[in-house]
Protein backbone atom coordinates (compact mmCIF):
# COMPACT_ATOMS: atom_id res chain seq x y z
CA UNK A 1 0.00 0.00 0.00
CA UNK A 2 1.44 3.37 -1.00
CA UNK A 3 -0.19 6.55 0.26
CA UNK A 4 0.45 9.77 -1.66
CA UNK A 5 -0.98 13.19 -0.92
CA UNK A 6 -1.54 15.62 -3.76
CA UNK A 7 -2.07 19.30 -3.00
CA UNK A 8 -3.41 21.25 -5.97
CA UNK A 9 -3.59 24.89 -5.01
CA UNK A 10 -1.96 28.22 -5.74
CA UNK A 11 0.99 30.05 -4.28
CA UNK A 12 4.64 29.62 -3.48
CA UNK A 13 5.56 25.95 -2.94
CA UNK A 14 7.65 26.70 0.17
CA UNK A 15 4.73 28.54 1.80
CA UNK A 16 2.34 25.75 0.85
CA UNK A 17 4.64 23.13 2.38
CA UNK A 18 4.86 25.18 5.56
CA UNK A 19 1.05 25.35 5.61
CA UNK A 20 0.84 21.54 5.44
CA UNK A 21 3.34 21.25 8.28
CA UNK A 22 1.39 23.82 10.34
CA UNK A 23 -1.80 21.77 10.00
CA UNK A 24 0.08 18.60 10.97
CA UNK A 25 1.46 20.31 14.08
CA UNK A 26 -1.96 21.67 15.06
CA UNK A 27 -3.56 18.24 14.70
CA UNK A 28 -0.59 16.36 16.19
CA UNK A 29 -0.22 14.30 13.02
CA UNK A 30 2.96 13.00 11.39
CA UNK A 31 2.82 12.66 7.64
CA UNK A 32 4.76 9.52 6.78
CA UNK A 33 3.90 9.62 3.09
CA UNK A 34 4.94 11.89 0.23
CA UNK A 35 2.90 15.00 -0.49
CA UNK A 36 3.10 16.26 -4.07
CA UNK A 37 2.43 19.92 -4.85
CA UNK A 38 0.84 21.08 -8.09
CA UNK A 39 -0.78 24.21 -9.44
CA UNK A 40 -4.56 24.28 -9.01
CA UNK A 41 -5.30 25.30 -12.61
CA UNK A 42 -2.98 22.79 -14.26
CA UNK A 43 -2.98 19.89 -11.80
CA UNK A 44 -2.78 16.68 -13.83
CA UNK A 45 -3.95 14.56 -10.89
CA UNK A 46 -7.01 16.75 -10.42
CA UNK A 47 -7.92 16.38 -14.09
CA UNK A 48 -7.13 12.68 -14.50
CA UNK A 49 -8.66 11.61 -11.18
CA UNK A 50 -11.68 13.91 -11.58
CA UNK A 51 -11.28 15.65 -8.24
CA UNK A 52 -14.05 18.19 -7.69
CA UNK A 53 -14.07 18.53 -3.89
CA UNK A 54 -11.44 18.68 -1.17
CA UNK A 55 -10.39 16.48 0.40
CA UNK A 56 -11.00 13.64 -2.02
CA UNK A 57 -9.66 10.20 -1.16
CA UNK A 58 -9.22 7.41 -3.69
CA UNK A 59 -7.91 3.88 -3.42
CA UNK A 60 -6.46 2.46 -6.62
CA UNK A 61 -5.64 -1.16 -7.30
CA UNK A 62 -2.39 -2.35 -8.82
CA UNK A 63 -3.69 -1.57 -12.32
CA UNK A 64 -4.71 2.00 -11.48
CA UNK A 65 -8.45 1.28 -11.31
CA UNK A 66 -10.35 3.15 -8.59
CA UNK A 67 -11.71 0.61 -6.09
CA UNK A 68 -12.89 3.04 -3.39
CA UNK A 69 -13.35 6.79 -3.12
CA UNK A 70 -14.69 9.47 -0.83
CA UNK A 71 -15.09 13.15 -1.56
CA UNK A 72 -16.39 13.93 1.93
CA UNK A 73 -13.18 13.63 3.89
CA UNK A 74 -12.13 10.79 6.14
CA UNK A 75 -14.58 10.48 8.98
CA UNK A 76 -15.53 7.38 10.93
CA UNK A 77 -17.92 6.01 8.27
CA UNK A 78 -15.32 6.41 5.51
CA UNK A 79 -12.69 4.75 7.68
CA UNK A 80 -14.91 1.73 8.36
CA UNK A 81 -15.79 1.42 4.68
CA UNK A 82 -12.16 1.72 3.56
CA UNK A 83 -10.98 -0.82 6.13
CA UNK A 84 -13.58 -3.28 4.79
CA UNK A 85 -12.42 -2.78 1.22
CA UNK A 86 -8.77 -3.23 2.23
CA UNK A 87 -9.52 -6.40 4.23
CA UNK A 88 -11.44 -7.95 1.32
CA UNK A 89 -8.71 -7.10 -1.15
CA UNK A 90 -5.94 -8.40 1.10
CA UNK A 91 -7.83 -11.66 1.65
CA UNK A 92 -7.67 -12.46 -2.09
Amino acid sequence: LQVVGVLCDEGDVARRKEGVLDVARERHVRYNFPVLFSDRKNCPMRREMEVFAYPTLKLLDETGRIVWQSSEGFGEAAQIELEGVLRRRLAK
Side-chain angles (χ1 to χ4, degrees):
L1 177 65
Q2 174 66 54
V3 174
V4 178
V6 180
L7 184 61
C8 298
D9 63 357
E10 298 174 3
D12 177 69
V13 173
R15 287 181 47 210
R16 292 162 54 201
K17 286 181 182 179
E18 191 56 40
V20 168
L21 294 173
D22 287 345
V23 169
R25 281 190 288 272
E26 288 171 11
R27 296 184 181 180
H28 306 287
V29 173
R30 272 191 61 212
Y31 290 120
N32 58 355
F33 55 87
V35 177
L36 308 175
F37 294 84
S38 183
D39 180 72
R40 175 172 239 159
K41 294 175 187 169
N42 300 311
C43 182
M45 288 299 293
R46 184 173 181 226
R47 266 192 323 273
E48 295 298 320
M49 299 302 293
E50 299 180 348
V51 174
F52 304 108
Y54 297 98
T56 293
L57 306 164
K58 297 189 184 234
L59 176 65
L60 285 65
D61 68 9
E62 59 279 356
T63 68
R65 185 176 65 94
I66 298 169
V67 295
W68 177 85
Q69 62 185 340
S70 171
S71 60
E72 298 180 15
F74 194 64
E76 186 177 350
Q79 180 178 347
I80 292 168
E81 185 180 350
L82 176 57
E83 285 177 4
V85 170
L86 288 169
R87 287 182 200 285
R88 286 189 300 277
R89 295 192 66 79
L90 290 171
K92 291 182 179 180

